[in-house]
Amino acid sequence: MTNKPQIRSRQRRPSKLEVEEYIPPYLRRFVHPYHGDFCVSQFFHPRLMAQLMCEGFLPIAAPEVLLPKLHAHRCVIDLPRGDLHVSKSTRKKAKRFRLTINQAFDRVVEGCHVQHGEKCWLYTPLVEVFRVMNQEEATRAVILNEKPQECPVRLYSIEIWNIETGNLAGGELGYTVGSIYTSLTGFTCEDSAGSVQLAALGRLLMKLGFSLWDLGMEMDYKTSMGCHLMARKEFVAHVKAVRHSKGHLKLPSESTMDAKETIDAGVLPNDVAAEANAPRESPQRTHSFPKNQERTKRLRCGSHTF
């Protein structure tokens, strides 16, 4: 497809400092500058999503269109430097909760819709793609440089549960590219569940050797956790440095952890650590497309097919 999406954009030539220059040539048939930090695409497909993530874009959506965003400044936590802050109050309250990974994807999506309402950008086409990515061991992006590189992208649901009631108390969706974990969106429906989930997840990322926790746009609660702003150019450079070389890093899917123990000790149970580091074989999936949907045509880029 060569025509640009039928969506109005500002009639001006973007400067060299804006988002257009960060769209790699092999993606320019499918992704176009929109305005500000946003691009736009009519295509929803796991492979395209993985390619965008490997280039530093954070994929969100509006009705019927994908809106990949590349923030001018990304709110991040430098994990090896120990920037993550966990309050005593959060540690104390963590004893009420347990943390799981990839055990309730659909319920996390539902919780996000309930909490964020009309402001929730998890529209059906995007959720369908995220669900496919969540069910795979990894979605393989291929970076078309002088020497093509395969970069695995893994999409996760993170859940926090009340131990006493067994109820889901909060959660988030996120993904990994190399040694970077990106939080997409989340929800909480119980007091302190959100702060405990974030603290336990942060400690887990530190233990597993992740270099950066990307939390998207700046907000007060993120700053209180130890976030600082990273300029777009620096963030994209870090993504490119680790997306291939650290592609083996992953979270321990389908595991259950005591939230307080994870926060306090920062040590994974032996079985969880073993699962996180063990290689996993997964069947090769061929993504099929409905023939009657224009936006889900097979995407071709040189000799590579999305």
Side-chain angles (χ1 to χ4, degrees), residues 283-296:
Q284 294 295 321
R285 297 184 182 225
T286 301
H287 300 294
S288 59
F289 299 87
K291 294 182 180 180
N292 62 341
Q293 293 187 21
E294 180 69 20
R295 70 164 182 269
T296 54

Side-chain angles (χ1 to χ4, degrees), residues 98-143:
R98 61 184 176 90
L99 185 77
T100 64
I101 299 173
N102 286 348
Q103 293 191 14
F105 173 88
D106 288 322
R107 292 183 65 183
V108 171
V109 171
E110 180 184 3
C112 292
H113 282 145
V114 170
Q115 177 165 323
H116 301 298
E118 294 181 354
K119 295 181 179 180
C120 187
W121 45 262
L122 288 173
Y123 291 95
T124 300
L126 185 61
V127 172
E128 290 174 351
V129 171
F130 283 172
R131 183 180 291 109
V132 171
M133 296 177 71
N134 176 254
Q135 292 171 351
E136 294 184 321
E137 191 277 330
T139 303
R140 308 285 172 175
V142 177
I143 306 301

Side-chain angles (χ1 to χ4, degrees), residues 179-190:
S179 59
I180 302 171
Y181 174 85
T182 295
S183 291
L184 284 165
T185 186
F187 81 100
T188 180
C189 56
E190 184 174 326

Side-chain angles (χ1 to χ4, degrees), residues 3 28 32 37 41 53 62 88 115 147 182 224 244 252:
N3 293 331
R28 289 177 184 171
H32 309 280
D37 297 339
S41 176
M53 292 170 174
K88 292 181 179 179
Q115 177 165 323
K147 182 180 179 181
T182 295
S224 69
H244 174 70

